[in-house]
Amino acid sequence: MSENVQTRTKSSPDVKKFFKKAKNSAKTFFSKSYNIILVIFFVILVIGVLVPLIMMVGDSLTVHNRNEADFINDLWDKNVKKGDFTFMQWPSLLFNLKLDVGMTQSYSVSAFWLPLARSMGMAVVACLIAVISGGVLAFLIARTNMPFKKFISTVFVFPYIMPSWSLAMFWENFFKNTSIPASPGMGLLQSVTTICAPEWMVYGFFPTAMVMGIHYAPFAYILIGGILRNMDANLEEAATILKASRAKIVWRITLPIVAPAMVSTILLVFASSLSTYTVPSFLCKTNPSYFLSLTMRSALSTGKMGEGYVMATVLLIFSVTILLVNNAFTRSRKGFTTVSGKSGQISKINLRGAKWVIAVIVLIIVIFFAIVPLFSFVIESIEETPGDIKTATLKYWFSKENTIDDVFLESRDLSTQGIFFNGTVLKSFGRSILIAVCVAMICGTCGVLIGYAVSKKRHSRFANLVSSLAFLPYLIPSLSFGAVFFALIKTDTFKFLDVQTSLNEASAVAICIIVGGIKFLPFASRTGTNAMLQLSGEIEEAALITGCSWGKRMTRILFPIQKSSFISGYLLPFISCMREYTLFVLITSSFTLATNVMEYFTRNGASQIANGINLLIVLFVIATNLLVNKLTGASIDKGIGG
């Protein structure tokens, strides 16, 4: 008895000492503003990213309705019911050998494996187009004396600033013709030359791969061009002294140096193209289940929820695998130094007389894909009969009366008045701007705070974890990410955010702001982190000595110094959100955003109004980028030279 009392008495001071030490450690930890920021964002990112992802994977293992239960029971002789947890959703989609109605392939082949194979093939071709075209142009601008560099460098990034579906609409506007049953009239090529492009060139695999490759070519151009501009010229100078030929220098020195950027571009373009929805939705009219993203949207929209979430999880697995491959390749080349403190004078290749020929060819290609689309949208928005310029009219822009006599549209209270008097169009455009502004403010501000905290604790595992969590949404395909929150709003707890349930567009706006704020956070967080890492700690220490508060240090000192970089952290999410459709397609109605209304008009024969809306969005995005660049110096289309 006395021993127990003695032990209790002895251990009591130890317990008090432990709690006192823990309390002091916690007090010291939370006395630092950056630690508080890290903890707050860790909690937010776990709730906003990891939990919904886990829920989506769980939904791929759940029976969502009676039809799914009957399908599994009949196929596998099970006895599951709605709400049951089961692994059978996966084999039901991946290994169902029953023949489709009227098809020679099994259900799994036609519903999953063929769409997946086509998506992967398209993504590979898009990668090749993006890397070759973007890399070659980067080399020409950074390493040759080709003229018109400034103009080409600025205009070449327009296809990336534009929404990818804008290029898809341009492709259809240009190549559509009356010889194709699915084609809505005559395109520019046929109207000018009477040439009819074959169907495979207008719809399907080839145009989708081309459009995705063209859309991401500026991305490759920026990454590869930045390395070519900054690499140490001594590497090439040494090879020149050793009498190496120019071709050998490019093959043995230049290409290995840009290899990391090329691999990163290939992997990121592959992941983005694999899950793209908007481009196939415009360019696969002859086969609405051609790619996996189209099949996934169809499954989720028609009640095959389990199959849809299985496809979303498969796309997620692809993205995570791509991230791991990219990280492994990057780590293996950490010691490959390309920038030093020595020679920075890069000798340009003299193209001699060929420089003008090359410049003209590049100009024609760049203008065709960056500027001609704008003219095509103007023409298509004023032609009453597609392909016949003689029927041009401005009624689709300024008419106060309905411009298209369509019972289907009128039955749904959808106005077909001119764009500037069309309440449906103007309200949806206003919602798009509202969502983009809110997302930009959330992402930009959070990006600055995360950047500040991570830079202060740059060697901390906790800071690296928060930074990785903030970057994770970038690696998740947009359609899969949308599916995560589509599953969330279908639950009883969050059904008030489901526009289909609430019949209120405010619900869709709210969920879009949440989804966009998380999805586009990686742009701002990486921008903010890089900007903060460039600042010396002495700057803030000097202000701290003078008694300057944390708020004043951020707003009066740190932000003004890196103003251009931080504003880019606001601009990138704004532009990305304004032109986004794939991310929001599952959680919005046909009238929520300008992109929704545009697709609705396109699918219901009002192509003139659809092209007009497209033109407005593209001009708004480009004008915003140019205006912010002019006022602040921040821009997403900064070229690499010229």
Side-chain angles (χ1 to χ4, degrees):
M1 184 72 175
S2 59
E3 287 182 5
N4 290 338
V5 173
Q6 193 174 15
T7 303
R8 204 181 303 122
T9 307
K10 194 173 182 179
S11 61
S12 182
D14 292 338
V15 172
K16 288 182 179 179
K17 187 177 180 181
F18 171 79
F19 280 110
K20 185 176 181 181
K21 186 177 180 181
K23 181 181 178 182
N24 291 335
S25 297
K27 189 175 181 181
T28 303
F29 181 84
F30 286 106
S31 66
K32 307 291 185 183
S33 55
Y34 46 81
N35 287 330
I36 298 174
I37 293 171
L38 287 174
V39 171
I40 290 173
F41 278 105
F42 175 76
V43 174
I44 291 173
L45 291 169
V46 167
I47 295 173
V49 179
L50 290 185
V51 172
L53 279 177
I54 294 170
M55 289 180 65
M56 186 193 74
V57 175
D59 281 322
S60 72
L61 304 171
T62 304
V63 180
H64 295 270
N65 51 56
R66 184 175 177 180
N67 289 336
E68 284 186 0
D70 292 342
F71 184 71
I72 293 172
N73 293 336
D74 293 342
L75 186 63
W76 304 105
D77 193 24
K78 296 289 183 180
N79 188 26
V80 299
K81 58 184 182 297
K82 179 182 176 182
D84 283 357
F85 180 87
T86 177
F87 289 96
M88 301 316 296
Q89 294 280 23
W90 284 78
S92 295
L93 177 64
L94 273 58
F95 307 113
N96 181 357
L97 300 181
K98 286 189 176 182
L99 294 181
D100 250 346
V101 178
M103 297 290 288
T104 57
Q105 295 104 355
S106 70
Y107 181 82
S108 292
V109 170
S110 61
F112 179 77
W113 293 110
L114 274 179
L116 176 62
R118 295 189 193 109
S119 296
M120 293 181 68
M122 179 271 293
V124 169
V125 175
C127 289
L128 293 175
I129 294 170
V131 171
I132 292 173
S133 57
V136 169
L137 184 63
F139 183 82
L140 288 172
I141 287 183
R143 291 310 181 91
T144 72
N145 63 339
M146 182 183 72
F148 309 122
K149 291 185 188 179
K150 186 78 172 178
F151 176 79
I152 293 172
S153 179
T154 301
V155 175
F156 184 71
V157 297
F158 276 19
Y160 188 64
I161 297 175
M162 292 181 189
S164 58
W165 41 259
S166 292
L167 290 174
M169 286 189 73
F170 164 66
W171 190 278
E172 183 184 39
N173 289 343
F174 191 83
F175 290 107
K176 66 184 180 182
N177 55 77
T178 52
S179 70
I180 303 174
S183 181
M186 188 185 300
L188 295 177
L189 181 64
Q190 185 184 10
S191 63
V192 174
T193 66
T194 69
I195 296 174
C196 292
E199 185 174 322
W200 63 266
M201 193 173 180
V202 186
Y203 299 111
F205 183 94
F206 175 76
T208 304
M210 283 292 296
V211 167
M212 293 306 299
I214 293 165
H215 177 64
Y216 284 107
F219 183 69
Y221 161 75
I222 293 170
L223 285 181
I224 297 172
I227 291 178
L228 287 173
R229 182 188 63 183
N230 294 322
M231 65 177 281
D232 184 11
N234 283 334
L235 298 170
E236 292 180 332
E237 289 173 4
T240 303
I241 293 172
L242 294 172
K243 308 297 183 184
S245 65
R246 175 57 65 175
K248 195 169 185 178
I249 292 173
V250 171
W251 181 256
R252 300 295 297 274
I253 296 177
T254 308
L255 281 179
I257 286 174
V258 301
M262 292 175 64
V263 171
S264 294
T265 303
I266 289 171
L267 295 174
L268 292 174
V269 173
F270 181 87
S272 300
S273 301
L274 183 67
S275 62
T276 184
Y277 170 78
T278 48
V279 174
S281 70
F282 280 102
L283 297 179
C284 293
K285 293 180 178 178
T286 54
N287 188 348
S289 299
Y290 195 78
F291 293 112
L292 189 63
S293 58
L294 300 177
T295 308
M296 174 183 160
R297 165 75 192 282
S298 176
L300 290 171
S301 302
T302 56
K304 298 179 180 178
M305 313 291 283
E307 290 186 5
Y309 294 130
V310 169
M311 296 178 197
T313 305
V314 169
L315 292 176
L316 179 62
I317 292 170
F318 268 103
S319 295
V320 172
T321 304
I322 287 169
L323 168 65
L324 295 176
V325 172
N326 186 39
N327 287 345
F329 185 84
T330 303
R331 280 197 301 268
S332 69
R333 302 184 64 90
K334 278 185 177 177
F336 199 90
T337 304
T338 63
V339 180
S340 71
K342 297 182 181 179
S343 174
Q345 185 62 38
I346 300 173
S347 59
K348 301 289 180 73
I349 298 174
N350 186 0
L351 299 175
R352 297 186 174 86
K355 68 180 182 181
W356 295 104
V357 177
I358 294 173
V360 170
I361 294 173
V362 171
L363 275 173
I364 291 173
I365 295 173
V366 168
I367 289 173
F368 180 77
F369 288 110
I371 297 178
V372 173
L374 302 180
F375 289 102
S376 82
F377 301 146
V378 172
I379 293 171
E380 291 287 332
S381 70
I382 62 175
E383 287 181 339
E384 191 157 8
T385 303
D388 188 358
I389 194 65
K390 294 178 182 178
T391 62
T393 173
L394 293 177
K395 71 177 184 179
Y396 299 105
W397 287 91
F398 299 103
S399 175
K400 294 183 180 180
E401 305 295 330
N402 281 347
T403 57
I404 296 174
D405 193 13
D406 193 307
V407 177
F408 183 79
L409 293 173
E410 291 174 2
S411 67
R412 283 158 176 75
D413 269 342
L414 189 66
S415 169
T416 60
Q417 294 172 294
I419 290 172
F420 291 126
F421 296 96
N422 192 313
T424 304
V425 172
L426 296 177
K427 286 178 182 177
S428 65
F429 199 81
R431 291 190 200 103
S432 294
I433 295 175
L434 173 64
I435 291 171
V437 169
C438 292
V439 168
M441 295 304 297
I442 292 170
C443 292
T445 303
C446 292
V448 171
L449 294 175
I450 291 174
Y452 172 79
V454 170
S455 67
K456 289 295 181 182
K457 299 270 289 185
R458 66 188 71 178
H459 300 301
S460 163
R461 290 184 180 179
F462 186 50
N464 291 333
L465 175 61
V466 173
S467 181
S468 298
L469 283 174
F471 188 68
L472 181 61
Y474 180 78
L475 305 169
I476 303 172
S478 293
L479 198 59
S480 293
F481 200 78
V484 169
F485 288 87
F486 178 76
L488 191 68
I489 63 177
K490 292 300 179 183
T491 61
D492 292 336
T493 306
F494 295 99
K495 65 181 179 181
F496 68 94
L497 291 173
D498 183 6
V499 66
Q500 305 299 336
T501 302
S502 66
L503 301 179
N504 186 352
E505 295 297 341
S507 300
V509 170
I511 190 64
C512 284
I513 292 173
I514 295 171
V515 174
I518 298 172
K519 175 62 178 174
F520 299 121
L521 179 60
F523 296 139
S525 67
R526 284 304 165 100
T527 300
T529 301
N530 292 337
M532 285 294 184
L533 287 173
Q534 292 175 348
L535 295 175
S536 171
E538 297 173 355
I539 297 174
E540 190 176 7
E541 288 172 9
L544 191 60
I545 292 172
T546 62
C548 187
S549 65
W550 178 81
K552 283 188 176 181
R553 295 199 302 272
M554 289 293 295
T555 57
R556 301 285 182 88
I557 299 174
L558 301 182
F559 194 94
I561 292 176
Q562 291 287 55
K563 178 183 68 174
S564 179
S565 296
F566 289 143
I567 291 177
S568 294
Y570 287 88
L571 180 63
L572 282 166
F574 177 85
I575 290 179
S576 299
C577 189
M578 194 69 201
R579 62 186 174 88
E580 182 59 53
Y581 181 61
T582 301
L583 180 65
F584 302 133
V585 67
L586 293 173
I587 57 177
T588 53
S589 74
S590 297
F591 316 116
T592 304
L593 306 176
T595 47
N596 294 115
V597 176
M598 185 195 71
E599 188 200 30
Y600 192 88
F601 275 119
T602 300
R603 296 198 178 282
N604 290 281
S607 60
Q608 296 91 343
I609 297 179
N611 276 279
I613 297 171
N614 190 12
L615 178 65
L616 283 180
I617 295 173
V618 172
L619 290 178
F620 182 79
V621 168
I622 293 175
T624 301
N625 181 63
L626 295 176
L627 179 63
V628 173
N629 176 230
K630 188 73 174 176
L631 295 177
T632 67
S635 175
I636 66 169
D637 65 324
K638 285 290 187 182
I640 61 167

